[in-house]
Structures are given as structure tokens and as C-alpha cells.
Amino acid sequence: MGQGQGQGGDARRAQAYDAELGAAVARAQDGDEDAFAVAYRLVQPGLLAYLRTLVGDEAEDVAADAWLETARDLGRFRGDGAGFRGWTATIARHRALDHLRRRRSRPRGAALEPEELDLPGPDSTHDQAMESIGTAHALALVRRLPRDQAEAVLLRVVVGLDGPSAARVLDKRPGAVRTAAHRGLRRLAEQLAADEAPAGSEGREESG
């Protein structure tokens, strides 16, 4: 997802898959195993990136558990492709939190910063973050964000959920999710910009 055109481009790409995804899910509910494989192929990459934020290297094991539950309960699902993305993300998150409880561990803190929400301007560096979110380096930076911000960014940008759907997965108000996603993207953009600064520039400034 590294060749986007900002948030709108990422959303359009996610929506472009939803018709295919919805049709595949409907066929899978009628017993078509190949169709279930199509749904898996469309959803798994984003789901795995999201889970790595919660459980790190154990993301694939947790994803496997989530897909087993998805397959088991598939007949109970009602909705379209976008709804299926949200449903699978909810299942995956529950499995991840169960895993963390069993491990007697907790996700990283999710305290909000006591700062005002600065809305992005027309030349915002948010676009840079959005376009880079699919790279391994950017995803590693996302995992270093506070958990509420990391989850919001990944659910919106990588999993492809809209605001209300992401809010339902996280059991939060849509406004809180928008705020967390904005703050996460701002931090990510700042870090990406710092990483692109010429090597040794800080040292030159200090010696000047």
C-alpha cells in the first residue's frame, strides 16, 4: 500500500476490493472453499499487520486462531465486504487480547496526550505517512506508537475500515478513533521526515 494518494487513495483501494470480497464471502457461505481462500487472501495482509502491533512475533499464530473462528462462524455473518473486514478485525482483536491475558501481559499503554487536536492543512505531511504505511519500516514505526494510535492507524489505513467500523472494533467513539489516527499519523510523518534528514546534519548544526 506504499503507492497511495493520501487517505482518500487508500480508502478507494480498500473499497475497490470490497465488491470482490463480499462476493467471495457469499460464495464461501454456500460452501465454496476456493472462495474462502479468496477472502483470506484479501483480508489477511492487513489483519496480520494489525496483529503484529498487538502481539508482535506471535501475530501469525493469533491470526490462525482468528481464521479458525471466522471459518467456524462464517454462516452467522451478515453483511458486505466492508462488514466482513470489520468482523474479522473484531475477532482477531479479541483473540489477541485473550492471548495477551494468557501470557499475563498487557498491551502498551494507550494514554492520550494532553494536547489539542491540530487538524492537517492542505500541505500536511500526513500524506507522506499514508503513502509509506505499507513499508516494513513504516509498520515498525507504527508499532512504536501508543496502542490506541497504532490500532486506529492500522484499522483505518491497512485493514481499510471506515471510522465507524474501526470505532466498533475498538469499542470507542468514532471521534476518539479519528483523534487517535490523526495523532498517530502525525507522529509517524514526523519520524519519517526525521529519518530522511541528511546524515550528520545535527552534528553540523551543533558545531556551527
Side-chain angles (χ1 to χ4, degrees), residues 44-132:
Q44 172 71 351
L47 204 64
L48 200 56
Y50 172 54
L51 285 171
R52 286 198 179 105
T53 298
L54 296 179
V55 298
D57 292 339
E58 294 165 303
E60 291 191 6
D61 291 338
V62 173
D65 289 342
W67 279 108
L68 285 174
E69 181 173 342
T70 298
R72 184 194 69 199
D73 296 341
L74 186 62
R76 293 163 45 189
F77 171 73
R78 297 291 181 271
D80 56 9
F84 187 76
R85 289 179 186 275
W87 186 60
T88 53
T90 299
I91 291 173
R93 187 172 193 266
H94 288 167
R95 296 291 69 75
L97 296 180
D98 286 346
H99 177 82
L100 290 168
R101 281 191 288 267
R102 287 195 300 268
R103 210 170 63 181
R104 289 183 171 274
S105 177
R106 297 183 62 187
R108 286 174 294 159
L112 292 175
E113 299 169 358
E115 60 184 1
E116 293 184 0
L117 176 60
D118 299 322
L119 295 178
D123 298 322
S124 172
T125 52
H126 281 55
D127 282 352
Q128 175 195 14
M130 298 292 292
E131 292 170 5
S132 303

